[in-house]
């Protein structure tokens, strides 16, 4: 069967030949049914192999009892040899299928684990910059890592439980034919013992939710610290954030201990009741032997089954526990997978002309085609917001909603808290839909970006901002992710960004490996590789947000000059206050409160506009100091 690596094509975007149906996100139970349903054939085969693996334990005590009664007590060597041969055959079958069942169950585990990871990856790719508006980064990472493992564990315990259930029913039938009293005790023991543990599962569920929530927050905090570690060290904030992480990790540890205590209590109940069941079985069996209702071999059979039944009972307990944990994980996964992108392409999209003028009605900015325009603002967030609008990106003006709250509410309060979080996510989604569905307010060649297909917008207008990241892979993948460039074109892009030192520093050059987020590079090197990637794409309209904020003045001067030459005749917009860029600008625009208040040549604005001079004065003074 072709199930690994799993072929996942959910969240269809029109690029797959055979899309997979999206997961069922109506409820945690429905989502788990969808996950298990995708592997029903593999789980069924694993369950059959588990049942055959348990065959020595299912039939072994009965065969051994018959051997005692007919071969030892009855004095028949032939019968003893026959039963011994049958027992050997059963053991061989169990050994072979034990290997097969383990292989299959590991396969199903990996299919669930990596299938969930692929779904998270596809959802992130589908949602893009919209997903962090609605869900915390740590929540997404936790679903891809720990929760995917929970779904894999569920497939394993389900197959094992079905196999144990077959063995359990087989044993119950055997013992019922031997003694209805002992058979009835064996048959009802497991449901009674599982029911006795049910009152402990609800508090266990709540504490696992709290543990999961705090672990997710800890992951988010760690991600933020790693992403901003260089900056934190620069401003002396490393100790503060380290202390925050230590406090949060202790909170997660306490939550883990609390959940562990309740889980230990559930397991203790399982062990206690299993022992009571075994004692009851031995007591009743010995009484029936004394009364002559059972033979010695049958008593041995019952004792063997008494010991065997401890296994199925504990498996049933484990199934309930892992099912509970999977429901918690499913609720987290639903909060990610139920998100839908707000973008809807018009029925008749209009083609964009990247060589035309770009106009933003909110700021009254007009970018003439084929020119290098520099946008200057005293508030960097305003120019960054303008760049988002030019590229048709939603603003980062919402706080992501976690899938679960902090301290575990219970009962009605928990349901109300979940409903409130779902309502907030729906509110953000509705706001996104409204923004994405209306006219965008940015036109390219007189055509509003909302009237064009989103793919066309992305091809015509490329925005490279300070949040742009590098993925793990080779330097060639980082500069030319689509494999479209010749060697000469890629080297030219690297030179324009003054990133030749990155190539020289990697032992294998273009095939040298970069870590995730470019962690092995300095901040300036990472920024220059990102710029090289943007330049290599050669879009009709290129929007750069502070592209050289992490490099020294001499490097910045070279980059500004090379970008100006390379992009000559192509529309380029740079959001910066650096005089080194302003010297090469064809046109300069001054923003105040998000609106264009002055525009013209850099020298003219510097000489005749006090507001402009105040904005660039500090940068200009810094440049003079460096020189």
């Amino acid at each position: 069967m072709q199930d690994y690596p799993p072929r996942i094509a959910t969240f269809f975007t029109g690029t797959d030949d055979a899309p997979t149906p999206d997961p069922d996100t109506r409820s945690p139970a429905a989502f788990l049914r969808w996950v298990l349903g995708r592997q029903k054939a593999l789980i069924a085969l694993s369950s059959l192999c588990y049942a055959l693996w348990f065959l020595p334990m299912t039939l072994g005590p009965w065969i051994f009892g018959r051997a005692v009664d007919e071969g030892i007590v009855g004095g028949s060597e032939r019968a003893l040899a026959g039963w011994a041969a049958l027992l050997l055959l059963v053991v061989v079958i169990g050994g072979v299928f034990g290997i097969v069942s383990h292989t299959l169950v590991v396969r199903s585990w990996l299919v669930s684990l990596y299938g969930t990871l692929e779904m998270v990856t596809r959802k992130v790719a589908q949602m893009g910059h919209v997903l962090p508006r609605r869900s915390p980064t740590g929540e997404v990472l936790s679903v891809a890592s720990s929760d995917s493992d929970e779904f894999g564990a569920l497939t394993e315990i389900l197959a094992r439980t079905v196999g144990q259930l077959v063995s359990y029913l087989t044993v119950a039938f055997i013992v019922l034919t031997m003694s209805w009293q002992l058979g009835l005790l064996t048959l009802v023991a497991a449901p009674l013992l599982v029911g006795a543990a049910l009152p402990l599962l609800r508090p266990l569920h709540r504490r696992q939710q709290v543990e999961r929530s705090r672990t997710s927050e800890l992951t988010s905090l760690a991600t933020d610290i790693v992403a901003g570690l260089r900056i934190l060290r620069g401003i002396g904030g490393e100790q503060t954030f380290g202390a925050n992480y230590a406090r949060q990790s202790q909170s997660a540890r306490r939550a883990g201990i609390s959940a562990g205590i309740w889980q230990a209590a559930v397991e203790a109940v399982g062990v206690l009741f299993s022992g009571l069941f075994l004692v009851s079985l031995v007591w009743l069996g010995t009484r029936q032997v004394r009364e002559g209702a059972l033979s010695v071999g049958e008593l041995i059979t019952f004792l063997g089954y008494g010991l065997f039944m401890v296994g199925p009972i504990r498996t049933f307990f484990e199934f309930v526990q892992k099912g509970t944990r999977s429901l918690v994980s499913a609720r987290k996964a639903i909060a990610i997978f139920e998100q839908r992108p707000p973008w809807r392409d018009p029925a008749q999209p209009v083609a964009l002309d990247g060589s035309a003028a770009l106009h933003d009605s909110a700021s009254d900015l007009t970018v003439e085609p084929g020119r290098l325009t520099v946008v200057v603002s005293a508030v960097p967030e305003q120019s960054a917001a303008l760049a988002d609008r030019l590229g048709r990106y939603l603003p980062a003006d919402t706080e992501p909603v976690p899938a679960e709250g902090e301290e575990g509410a219970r009962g009605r309060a928990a349901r109300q808290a979940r409903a409130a979080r779902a309502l907030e996510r729906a509110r953000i989604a509705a706001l996104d839909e409204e923004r994405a569905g209306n006219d965008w307010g940015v036109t390219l060649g007189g055509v509003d970006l909302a009237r064009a297909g989103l793919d066309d917008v992305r091809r015509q207008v490329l925005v490279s901002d300070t949040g742009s990241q590098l993925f793990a892979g080779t330097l060639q993948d980082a500069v030319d992710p689509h494999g479209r460039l010749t060697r000469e074109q890629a080297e030219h892009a690297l030179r324009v960004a003054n990133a030749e030192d990155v190539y020289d520093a990697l032992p294998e050059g273009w095939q040298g490996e970069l870590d995730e987020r470019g962690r092995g590079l300095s901040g300036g090197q990472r920024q220059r590789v990102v710029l090289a990637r943007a330049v290599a794409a050669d879009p009709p309209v290129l929007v750069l947000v502070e592209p050289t904020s992490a490099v020294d003045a001499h490097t910045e001067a070279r980059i500004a000059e090379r970008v100006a030459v390379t992009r000559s005749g192509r529309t380029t917009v740079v959001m910066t206050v650096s005089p080194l860029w302003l010297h090469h600008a064809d046109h300069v625009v001054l923003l105040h409160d998000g609106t264009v208040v002055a525009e013209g040549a850099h020298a003219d604005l510097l000489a005749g506009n006090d507001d402009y001079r105040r904005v660039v004065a500090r940068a200009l003074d810094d440049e003079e100091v460096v020189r």
Side-chain angles (χ1 to χ4, degrees):
M1 62 184 70
Q2 180 57 49
D3 54 6
Y4 190 84
R7 294 177 175 178
I8 299 295
T10 55
F11 316 119
F12 182 57
T13 59
T15 57
D16 301 290
D17 296 330
T20 304
D22 288 353
D24 189 342
T25 57
R26 291 174 298 174
S27 67
F31 177 79
L32 290 180
R33 285 196 300 271
W34 183 88
V35 171
L36 296 174
R38 285 185 49 79
Q39 295 192 67
K40 53 181 179 292
L42 183 57
I43 293 175
L45 184 59
S46 301
S47 301
L48 175 62
C49 291
Y50 262 125
L52 294 174
W53 178 27
F54 298 138
L55 198 60
M57 294 170 282
T58 305
L59 299 180
W62 178 75
I63 294 174
F64 192 83
R66 295 300 299 270
V68 169
D69 284 342
E70 297 180 14
I72 299 177
V73 177
S76 173
E77 295 184 0
R78 182 177 179 181
L80 181 62
W83 288 114
L86 180 60
L87 182 60
L88 177 62
L89 175 63
V90 168
V91 169
V92 171
I93 292 175
V96 170
F97 281 96
I99 297 174
V100 176
S101 63
H102 179 75
T103 302
L104 291 176
V105 80
V106 169
R107 186 186 188 94
S108 68
W109 191 315
L110 292 177
V111 168
S112 289
L113 193 155
Y114 287 104
T116 305
L117 179 59
E118 285 190 39
M119 284 197 294
V120 172
T121 302
R122 290 183 62 86
K123 174 55 69 173
V124 171
Q126 181 195 44
M127 297 295 292
H129 74 288
V130 179
L131 186 58
R133 290 170 51 82
R134 306 180 187 177
S135 301
T137 303
E139 199 69 45
V140 177
L141 292 175
S142 294
V143 171
S145 55
S146 59
D147 292 315
S148 62
D149 192 59
E150 293 292 344
F151 302 144
L154 181 62
T155 62
E156 184 275 334
I157 190 61
L158 176 60
R160 181 151 49 96
T161 300
V162 172
Q164 290 275 33
L165 180 61
V166 171
S167 299
Y168 170 79
L169 295 176
T170 303
V171 169
F173 173 77
I174 292 174
V175 296
L176 279 173
T177 60
M178 297 170 60
S179 169
W180 71 266
Q181 298 98 330
L182 297 184
L184 184 63
L185 174 63
T186 304
L187 187 63
V188 302
L192 289 177
L193 299 187
V194 172
L198 287 179
L200 300 176
L201 295 180
R202 187 177 296 274
L204 172 63
H205 188 186
R206 288 198 302 269
R207 282 157 179 80
Q208 287 176 340
Q209 285 180 319
V210 174
E211 177 194 10
R212 174 66 176 71
S213 177
R214 292 184 180 177
T215 302
S216 175
E217 292 178 4
L218 186 64
T219 303
S220 296
L221 183 59
T223 301
D224 293 340
I225 291 176
V226 171
L229 188 58
R230 298 179 188 275
I231 299 175
L232 291 176
R233 286 175 173 172
I235 63 177
E238 186 178 2
Q239 295 293 334
T240 301
F241 276 81
N244 290 339
Y245 182 84
R247 285 193 296 271
Q248 181 63 30
S249 65
Q250 290 303 310
S251 177
R253 181 185 65 83
R254 288 191 294 271
I257 291 175
S258 178
I261 290 174
W262 281 94
Q263 184 158 352
V266 172
E267 293 181 357
V269 168
V271 173
L272 174 63
F273 286 159
S274 298
L276 292 177
F277 161 72
L278 183 60
V279 170
S280 301
L281 191 64
V282 172
W283 181 72
L284 288 174
T286 52
R287 288 191 58 184
Q288 291 196 4
V289 170
R290 187 179 61 185
E291 295 171 0
L294 286 179
S295 67
V296 175
E298 289 174 331
L299 176 61
I300 294 174
T301 298
F302 272 107
L303 292 179
Y305 283 141
L307 294 173
F308 164 71
M309 291 300 289
V310 173
I313 292 173
R314 297 199 64 177
T315 297
F316 299 152
F317 272 106
E318 187 179 353
F319 174 73
V320 174
Q321 292 177 42
K322 289 188 176 179
T324 301
R325 294 184 66 91
S326 296
L327 286 172
V328 175
S329 296
R331 185 172 291 115
K332 304 287 185 179
I334 287 174
I336 305 299
F337 294 146
E338 70 180 356
Q339 303 295 336
R340 294 293 181 267
W343 313 109
R344 299 291 184 271
D345 285 345
Q348 296 181 335
V350 180
L352 295 175
D353 181 9
S355 62
L358 184 68
H359 178 75
D360 174 52
S361 59
S363 63
D364 200 28
L365 168 71
T366 298
V367 179
E368 295 298 331
R371 305 176 70 183
L372 173 59
T373 301
V374 177
V375 178
V376 175
S377 174
V379 183
E381 290 77 10
Q382 293 178 0
S383 56
L386 173 59
D388 287 340
R389 288 200 303 275
L390 295 179
R392 203 183 176 199
Y393 291 99
L394 294 171
D397 58 355
T398 63
E399 288 294 328
V401 183
E404 294 291 342
E406 184 48 34
E407 302 298 333
R410 60 189 67 181
R412 183 178 179 183
R415 292 191 295 272
Q416 289 176 341
R418 285 197 292 268
R421 290 190 291 271
L423 187 62
E424 176 62 14
R425 283 193 293 270
R427 184 192 70 81
I428 296 175
L431 177 61
D432 292 346
E433 291 272 1
E434 181 181 2
R435 286 172 171 171
N438 297 332
D439 282 349
W440 192 250
V442 177
T443 60
L444 183 59
V447 178
D448 191 277
L449 297 186
R451 301 184 185 277
L454 187 62
D455 290 342
D456 193 18
V457 174
R458 298 288 182 257
R459 283 192 297 269
Q460 300 296 332
V461 183
L462 188 152
V463 178
S464 179
D465 59 15
T466 55
S468 299
Q469 296 291 343
L470 295 176
F471 297 97
T474 65
L475 178 60
Q476 183 177 355
D477 293 334
V479 176
D480 182 22
H482 300 290
R484 299 170 179 169
L485 304 180
T486 64
R487 176 68 174 265
E488 292 73 18
Q489 289 172 326
E491 289 178 347
H492 175 70
L494 211 61
R495 181 180 181 280
V496 170
N498 202 70
E500 301 98 320
D501 60 315
V502 178
Y503 176 90
D504 296 335
L506 295 174
E508 299 179 17
W510 283 112
Q511 298 307 311
E513 292 288 335
L514 298 178
D515 295 331
E516 181 185 359
R517 292 175 177 251
R519 285 195 297 263
L521 305 177
S522 68
Q525 287 176 321
R526 186 165 57 249
Q527 189 176 58
R528 285 179 281 136
V529 173
V530 169
L531 177 59
R533 180 177 61 193
V535 172
D538 195 26
V541 180
L542 177 60
V543 181
L544 303 174
V545 181
E546 297 293 349
T548 51
S549 59
V551 303
D552 60 79
H554 297 295
T555 302
E556 185 177 25
R558 287 192 295 270
I559 293 174
E561 180 181 5
R562 293 173 182 177
V563 170
V565 172
T566 300
R567 294 288 301 176
S568 178
R570 310 278 275 175
T571 305
T572 308
V573 183
V574 182
M575 311 291 179
T576 184
V577 297
S578 170
L580 299 174
W581 280 97
L582 293 168
H583 287 318
H584 297 280
D586 297 318
H587 191 68
V588 179
V589 174
L590 175 64
L591 282 186
H592 181 69
D593 290 337
T595 304
V596 175
V597 295
E599 55 185 314
H602 168 58
D604 295 340
L605 290 173
L606 196 60
N609 190 299
D610 293 338
D611 292 335
Y612 179 81
R613 188 164 47 250
R614 279 194 294 270
V615 172
V616 300
R618 175 175 296 181
L620 188 61
D621 291 342
D622 292 343
E623 179 189 1
E624 293 298 333
V625 169
V626 171
R627 289 181 176 176

PDB file of all heavy atoms in Angstrom, residues 172-187:
ATOM      1  N   ALA A 172     -13.187 -14.860  27.045  1.00  0.00           N
ATOM      2  CA  ALA A 172     -14.471 -14.890  27.739  1.00  0.00           C
ATOM      3  C   ALA A 172     -15.329 -16.061  27.259  1.00  0.00           C
ATOM      4  O   ALA A 172     -15.998 -16.737  28.057  1.00  0.00           O
ATOM      5  CB  ALA A 172     -15.205 -13.561  27.522  1.00  0.00           C
ATOM      6  N   PHE A 173     -15.311 -16.307  25.929  1.00  0.00           N
ATOM      7  CA  PHE A 173     -16.081 -17.440  25.393  1.00  0.00           C
ATOM      8  C   PHE A 173     -15.552 -18.760  25.946  1.00  0.00           C
ATOM      9  O   PHE A 173     -16.335 -19.656  26.330  1.00  0.00           O
ATOM     10  CB  PHE A 173     -15.999 -17.428  23.863  1.00  0.00           C
ATOM     11  CG  PHE A 173     -16.611 -18.638  23.231  1.00  0.00           C
ATOM     12  CD1 PHE A 173     -17.990 -18.758  23.117  1.00  0.00           C
ATOM     13  CD2 PHE A 173     -15.804 -19.674  22.762  1.00  0.00           C
ATOM     14  CE1 PHE A 173     -18.554 -19.893  22.528  1.00  0.00           C
ATOM     15  CE2 PHE A 173     -16.364 -20.799  22.176  1.00  0.00           C
ATOM     16  CZ  PHE A 173     -17.739 -20.908  22.060  1.00  0.00           C
ATOM     17  N   ILE A 174     -14.205 -18.892  25.981  1.00  0.00           N
ATOM     18  CA  ILE A 174     -13.610 -20.142  26.470  1.00  0.00           C
ATOM     19  C   ILE A 174     -13.992 -20.392  27.924  1.00  0.00           C
ATOM     20  O   ILE A 174     -14.428 -21.498  28.297  1.00  0.00           O
ATOM     21  CB  ILE A 174     -12.086 -20.114  26.297  1.00  0.00           C
ATOM     22  CG1 ILE A 174     -11.720 -20.135  24.805  1.00  0.00           C
ATOM     23  CG2 ILE A 174     -11.436 -21.291  27.017  1.00  0.00           C
ATOM     24  CD1 ILE A 174     -10.230 -19.971  24.541  1.00  0.00           C
ATOM     25  N   VAL A 175     -13.849 -19.368  28.759  1.00  0.00           N
ATOM     26  CA  VAL A 175     -14.110 -19.580  30.186  1.00  0.00           C
ATOM     27  C   VAL A 175     -15.599 -19.739  30.475  1.00  0.00           C
ATOM     28  O   VAL A 175     -15.990 -20.411  31.434  1.00  0.00           O
ATOM     29  CB  VAL A 175     -13.509 -18.428  31.022  1.00  0.00           C
ATOM     30  CG1 VAL A 175     -12.009 -18.395  30.899  1.00  0.00           C
ATOM     31  CG2 VAL A 175     -14.113 -17.078  30.636  1.00  0.00           C
ATOM     32  N   LEU A 176     -16.466 -19.123  29.645  1.00  0.00           N
ATOM     33  CA  LEU A 176     -17.909 -19.308  29.830  1.00  0.00           C
ATOM     34  C   LEU A 176     -18.312 -20.756  29.575  1.00  0.00           C
ATOM     35  O   LEU A 176     -19.241 -21.285  30.215  1.00  0.00           O
ATOM     36  CB  LEU A 176     -18.687 -18.373  28.898  1.00  0.00           C
ATOM     37  CG  LEU A 176     -18.854 -16.920  29.369  1.00  0.00           C
ATOM     38  CD1 LEU A 176     -19.494 -16.075  28.280  1.00  0.00           C
ATOM     39  CD2 LEU A 176     -19.693 -16.866  30.650  1.00  0.00           C
ATOM     40  N   THR A 177     -17.643 -21.397  28.626  1.00  0.00           N
ATOM     41  CA  THR A 177     -17.954 -22.811  28.356  1.00  0.00           C
ATOM     42  C   THR A 177     -17.441 -23.729  29.455  1.00  0.00           C
ATOM     43  O   THR A 177     -17.909 -24.855  29.579  1.00  0.00           O
ATOM     44  CB  THR A 177     -17.344 -23.241  27.015  1.00  0.00           C
ATOM     45  OG1 THR A 177     -15.924 -23.070  27.067  1.00  0.00           O
ATOM     46  CG2 THR A 177     -17.902 -22.411  25.877  1.00  0.00           C
ATOM     47  N   MET A 178     -16.492 -23.224  30.251  1.00  0.00           N
ATOM     48  CA  MET A 178     -15.921 -24.035  31.326  1.00  0.00           C
ATOM     49  C   MET A 178     -16.644 -23.796  32.649  1.00  0.00           C
ATOM     50  O   MET A 178     -16.892 -24.750  33.406  1.00  0.00           O
ATOM     51  CB  MET A 178     -14.430 -23.724  31.473  1.00  0.00           C
ATOM     52  CG  MET A 178     -13.615 -24.083  30.233  1.00  0.00           C
ATOM     53  SD  MET A 178     -11.911 -23.457  30.309  1.00  0.00           S
ATOM     54  CE  MET A 178     -11.310 -24.285  31.768  1.00  0.00           C
ATOM     55  N   SER A 179     -16.948 -22.532  32.945  1.00  0.00           N
ATOM     56  CA  SER A 179     -17.641 -22.200  34.189  1.00  0.00           C
ATOM     57  C   SER A 179     -18.336 -20.862  33.998  1.00  0.00           C
ATOM     58  O   SER A 179     -17.666 -19.848  33.781  1.00  0.00           O
ATOM     59  CB  SER A 179     -16.650 -22.127  35.357  1.00  0.00           C
ATOM     60  OG  SER A 179     -17.281 -21.571  36.506  1.00  0.00           O
ATOM     61  N   TRP A 180     -19.664 -20.830  34.067  1.00  0.00           N
ATOM     62  CA  TRP A 180     -20.363 -19.571  33.767  1.00  0.00           C
ATOM     63  C   TRP A 180     -20.073 -18.510  34.812  1.00  0.00           C
ATOM     64  O   TRP A 180     -20.048 -17.314  34.511  1.00  0.00           O
ATOM     65  CB  TRP A 180     -21.865 -19.823  33.631  1.00  0.00           C
ATOM     66  CG  TRP A 180     -22.562 -20.151  34.935  1.00  0.00           C
ATOM     67  CD1 TRP A 180     -22.820 -21.372  35.459  1.00  0.00           C
ATOM     68  CD2 TRP A 180     -23.096 -19.189  35.841  1.00  0.00           C
ATOM     69  NE1 TRP A 180     -23.463 -21.276  36.654  1.00  0.00           N
ATOM     70  CE2 TRP A 180     -23.667 -19.936  36.916  1.00  0.00           C
ATOM     71  CE3 TRP A 180     -23.169 -17.812  35.887  1.00  0.00           C
ATOM     72  CZ2 TRP A 180     -24.290 -19.322  38.006  1.00  0.00           C
ATOM     73  CZ3 TRP A 180     -23.788 -17.193  36.961  1.00  0.00           C
ATOM     74  CH2 TRP A 180     -24.348 -17.937  38.008  1.00  0.00           C
ATOM     75  N   GLN A 181     -19.832 -18.951  36.104  1.00  0.00           N
ATOM     76  CA  GLN A 181     -19.541 -17.950  37.132  1.00  0.00           C
ATOM     77  C   GLN A 181     -18.210 -17.242  36.855  1.00  0.00           C
ATOM     78  O   GLN A 181     -18.125 -16.013  36.854  1.00  0.00           O
ATOM     79  CB  GLN A 181     -19.506 -18.589  38.533  1.00  0.00           C
ATOM     80  CG  GLN A 181     -20.812 -19.218  38.957  1.00  0.00           C
ATOM     81  CD  GLN A 181     -20.839 -20.703  38.728  1.00  0.00           C
ATOM     82  OE1 GLN A 181     -20.168 -21.197  37.793  1.00  0.00           O
ATOM     83  NE2 GLN A 181     -21.597 -21.431  39.552  1.00  0.00           N
ATOM     84  N   LEU A 182     -17.166 -18.049  36.613  1.00  0.00           N
ATOM     85  CA  LEU A 182     -15.857 -17.453  36.347  1.00  0.00           C
ATOM     86  C   LEU A 182     -15.845 -16.746  34.991  1.00  0.00           C
ATOM     87  O   LEU A 182     -15.192 -15.708  34.818  1.00  0.00           O
ATOM     88  CB  LEU A 182     -14.774 -18.535  36.384  1.00  0.00           C
ATOM     89  CG  LEU A 182     -14.578 -19.243  37.730  1.00  0.00           C
ATOM     90  CD1 LEU A 182     -13.410 -20.211  37.635  1.00  0.00           C
ATOM     91  CD2 LEU A 182     -14.346 -18.240  38.842  1.00  0.00           C
ATOM     92  N   GLY A 183     -16.563 -17.292  34.020  1.00  0.00           N
ATOM     93  CA  GLY A 183     -16.645 -16.638  32.715  1.00  0.00           C
ATOM     94  C   GLY A 183     -17.326 -15.289  32.808  1.00  0.00           C
ATOM     95  O   GLY A 183     -16.887 -14.313  32.186  1.00  0.00           O
ATOM     96  N   LEU A 184     -18.402 -15.206  33.606  1.00  0.00           N
ATOM     97  CA  LEU A 184     -19.100 -13.935  33.780  1.00  0.00           C
ATOM     98  C   LEU A 184     -18.210 -12.919  34.486  1.00  0.00           C
ATOM     99  O   LEU A 184     -18.167 -11.737  34.114  1.00  0.00           O
ATOM    100  CB  LEU A 184     -20.389 -14.167  34.585  1.00  0.00           C
ATOM    101  CG  LEU A 184     -21.286 -12.945  34.768  1.00  0.00           C
ATOM    102  CD1 LEU A 184     -21.794 -12.452  33.421  1.00  0.00           C
ATOM    103  CD2 LEU A 184     -22.463 -13.284  35.690  1.00  0.00           C
ATOM    104  N   LEU A 185     -17.444 -13.379  35.491  1.00  0.00           N
ATOM    105  CA  LEU A 185     -16.516 -12.483  36.176  1.00  0.00           C
ATOM    106  C   LEU A 185     -15.469 -11.956  35.199  1.00  0.00           C
ATOM    107  O   LEU A 185     -15.152 -10.750  35.192  1.00  0.00           O
ATOM    108  CB  LEU A 185     -15.834 -13.233  37.322  1.00  0.00           C
ATOM    109  CG  LEU A 185     -14.718 -12.468  38.060  1.00  0.00           C
ATOM    110  CD1 LEU A 185     -15.267 -11.226  38.737  1.00  0.00           C
ATOM    111  CD2 LEU A 185     -14.022 -13.375  39.073  1.00  0.00           C
ATOM    112  N   THR A 186     -14.952 -12.830  34.362  1.00  0.00           N
ATOM    113  CA  THR A 186     -13.947 -12.405  33.383  1.00  0.00           C
ATOM    114  C   THR A 186     -14.535 -11.426  32.366  1.00  0.00           C
ATOM    115  O   THR A 186     -13.885 -10.457  31.966  1.00  0.00           O
ATOM    116  CB  THR A 186     -13.384 -13.629  32.648  1.00  0.00           C
ATOM    117  OG1 THR A 186     -12.865 -14.557  33.617  1.00  0.00           O
ATOM    118  CG2 THR A 186     -12.281 -13.230  31.690  1.00  0.00           C
ATOM    119  N   LEU A 187     -15.790 -11.658  31.958  1.00  0.00           N
ATOM    120  CA  LEU A 187     -16.403 -10.843  30.916  1.00  0.00           C
ATOM    121  C   LEU A 187     -16.720  -9.432  31.389  1.00  0.00           C
ATOM    122  O   LEU A 187     -16.529  -8.466  30.654  1.00  0.00           O
ATOM    123  CB  LEU A 187     -17.671 -11.534  30.422  1.00  0.00           C
ATOM    124  CG  LEU A 187     -18.362 -10.918  29.208  1.00  0.00           C
ATOM    125  CD1 LEU A 187     -17.446 -10.970  28.003  1.00  0.00           C
ATOM    126  CD2 LEU A 187     -19.673 -11.644  28.904  1.00  0.00           C
TER     127      LEU A 187
END
